[in-house]
Amino acid sequence: GAGVSQSPSNKVTEKGKDVELRCDPISGHTALYWYRQSLGQGLEFLIYFQGNSAPDKSGLPSDRFSAERTGGSVSTLTIQRTQQEDSAVYLCASSLFGRNTGELFFGEGSRLTVL
Amino acid sequence: GESVGLHLPTLSVQEGDNSIINCAYSNSASDYFIWYKQESGKGPQFIIDIRSNMDKRQGQRVTVLLNKTVKHLSLQIAATQPGDSAVYFCAENIHDASGGGADGLTFGKGTHLIIQP
């Protein structure tokens, strides 16, 4: 498809398990972002990738969270030893240029529920 | 820390009326502002943006107003339609010219726009 694709759309896991969330950005977009959206809340920045530069990890809430972007395209967000407070919708976005252009194209998100 | 906030969590308007969604920001260093629309079960979609050297910008049925004196941003939707029902987020971009990585979008909590027939 032409948009940002995320998988899985829904993930239910048990506390303590690891989860991986995948994002396939729009082809040609150099910038990729992960955000977290808790119920009824705004978007919380997690991590930003731009080309081959070192990612901006300043938004990751703990060392249980990590993300990779392989080949400048697909990204995986990994949450280790999940906790109930990790339950949220994880949104991925991409943009053609860097982070100051503003127009981000979002995927539909991966809803994570930790029991 | 400084952040973007919304005045109202829910706004209810009659179909056909104009809607005004407000947003306050506190960081005077913000130089770029964006409105996003998020429909239920979907990711946010870009609506309109405005840079700090402007006071007003118009799109199709939408207008964004920026008042830097009181650090206030608003989104006006003309002739509101059922398809406008969504959560609207304002976001600010704090440009870090040093390249230290502090720049990037900060989103507010959102306003849920409800359209009454």
Side-chain angles (χ1 to χ4, degrees):
Chain A
V4 175
S5 177
Q6 292 188 246
S7 61
S9 55
N10 279 286
K11 176 71 175 178
V12 180
T13 191
E14 293 179 346
K15 178 181 173 181
K17 300 285 188 183
D18 297 351
V19 296
E20 283 190 354
L21 307 176
R22 176 189 167 105
C23 173
D24 201 342
I26 293 173
S27 178
H29 280 194
T30 63
L32 187 147
Y33 315 73
W34 283 98
Y35 285 85
R36 178 168 70 175
Q37 186 174 31
S38 301
L39 186 63
Q41 298 296 308
L43 279 69
E44 176 189 2
F45 167 76
L46 297 178
I47 189 169
Y48 163 70
F49 295 90
Q50 173 60 48
N52 295 322
S53 302
D56 175 2
K57 305 179 182 179
S58 61
L60 294 178
S62 77
D63 59 7
R64 296 187 294 106
F65 288 73
S66 62
E68 290 184 340
R69 188 179 186 193
T70 55
S73 181
V74 172
S75 177
T76 302
L77 177 69
T78 301
I79 309 173
Q80 295 179 308
R81 304 181 302 281
T82 52
Q83 304 294 313
Q84 288 184 331
E85 60 263 29
D86 299 334
S87 296
V89 176
Y90 289 81
L91 290 160
C92 176
S94 68
S95 64
L96 183 59
F97 302 112
R99 64 200 308 173
N100 290 329
T101 62
E103 185 165 1
L104 275 58
F105 295 83
F106 283 87
E108 296 202 341
S110 291
R111 181 176 296 278
L112 175 65
T113 303
V114 182
L115 302 177
Chain B
E2 296 176 336
S3 64
V4 177
L6 274 296
H7 289 306
L8 292 173
T10 302
L11 176 66
S12 183
V13 298
Q14 295 281 343
E15 182 178 349
D17 287 353
N18 296 335
S19 302
I20 301 176
I21 301 170
N22 295 306
C23 181
Y25 66 96
S26 57
N27 194 330
S28 57
S30 296
D31 59 359
Y32 183 51
F33 304 88
I34 311 98
W35 282 98
Y36 281 85
K37 171 187 179 183
Q38 186 176 27
E39 296 176 88
S40 180
K42 296 186 177 181
Q45 282 185 301
F46 175 92
I47 302 174
I48 192 167
D49 59 1
I50 187 168
R51 296 204 174 271
S52 59
N53 61 352
M54 302 172 68
D55 299 321
K56 178 180 180 179
R57 190 162 189 224
Q58 288 186 290
Q60 190 173 19
R61 276 203 312 121
V62 295
T63 301
V64 56
L65 299 176
L66 176 63
N67 185 331
K68 295 180 287 294
T69 302
V70 295
K71 298 188 181 68
H72 185 267
L73 188 70
S74 69
L75 177 71
Q76 299 179 0
I77 304 173
T80 311
Q81 303 169 357
D84 295 328
S85 179
V87 177
Y88 290 81
F89 294 96
C90 63
E92 63 178 329
N93 195 345
I94 304 168
H95 180 58
D96 176 10
S98 70
D103 57 341
L105 287 177
T106 300
F107 286 81
K109 286 189 167 61
T111 294
H112 185 192
L113 180 63
I114 298 171
I115 315 302
Q116 295 184 346

